[in-house]
Amino acid sequence: MSGEIAMSGEIAGPGGVIHDLGYQHYDGPRLGRAAIIRALYWHSLRSAFGIGRGVRAKIVPILTFVIMCLPAVANAISAARGGGRIVPYDTYLFRLRGLVMVIWTTRWPS
C-alpha cells in the first residue's frame, strides 16, 4: 500500500491523514494559504500593538514604536534641510536596543 489507513478505513493519499481528536468538525470553506497568511499577519499586529485590548495594554507597544521611529524622523528632517544624518543607520538599532529593553523589562518585572 502506498498510503496509510485513515480512521474511516480508507487509504489516505500522499498528503497525510487528519486525525479526529474529538474537536468540533469544521464544515466551512477552506480559504487557502493567502487567508492563512492574512490571519497570521493580523494576529501578529493585534498581539504586538494590543489591538482589541484596553488602553493600558496599548501604551508600552505604541510608546516603543514611537521611540524607535523618532531617530528616523529626525534623520529625515535633517536630510530634508540639507544636513547630514544625526544617527548613522549602521548603529541605529544598537543604540536604541538598550532603551527598548529597559522599557519592556519595566513592563513585566517578574
Side-chain angles (χ1 to χ4, degrees), residues 70-89 95:
L70 282 177
V73 170
N75 279 345
I77 291 171
S78 176
R81 292 187 176 175
R85 290 188 197 117
I86 298 171
V87 180
Y89 291 127
R95 288 184 181 189

Side-chain angles (χ1 to χ4, degrees), residues 10 15-16 23 42 68 73-74 79 83 98 106:
E10 300 174 9
Y23 298 111
W42 178 243
M68 288 298 289
V73 170
T106 57

Side-chain angles (χ1 to χ4, degrees), residues 19-64:
H19 297 283
D20 184 9
L21 299 175
Y23 298 111
Q24 183 177 358
H25 294 283
Y26 177 73
D27 295 326
R30 305 289 181 190
L31 300 176
R33 291 182 189 219
I36 292 170
I37 291 170
R38 280 192 304 271
L40 287 173
Y41 178 75
W42 178 243
H43 178 73
S44 298
L45 282 179
R46 287 177 52 103
S47 298
F49 292 108
I51 299 171
R53 297 183 181 207
V55 175
R56 293 185 70 207
K58 296 176 188 174
I59 292 172
V60 172
I62 291 174
L63 182 67
T64 305

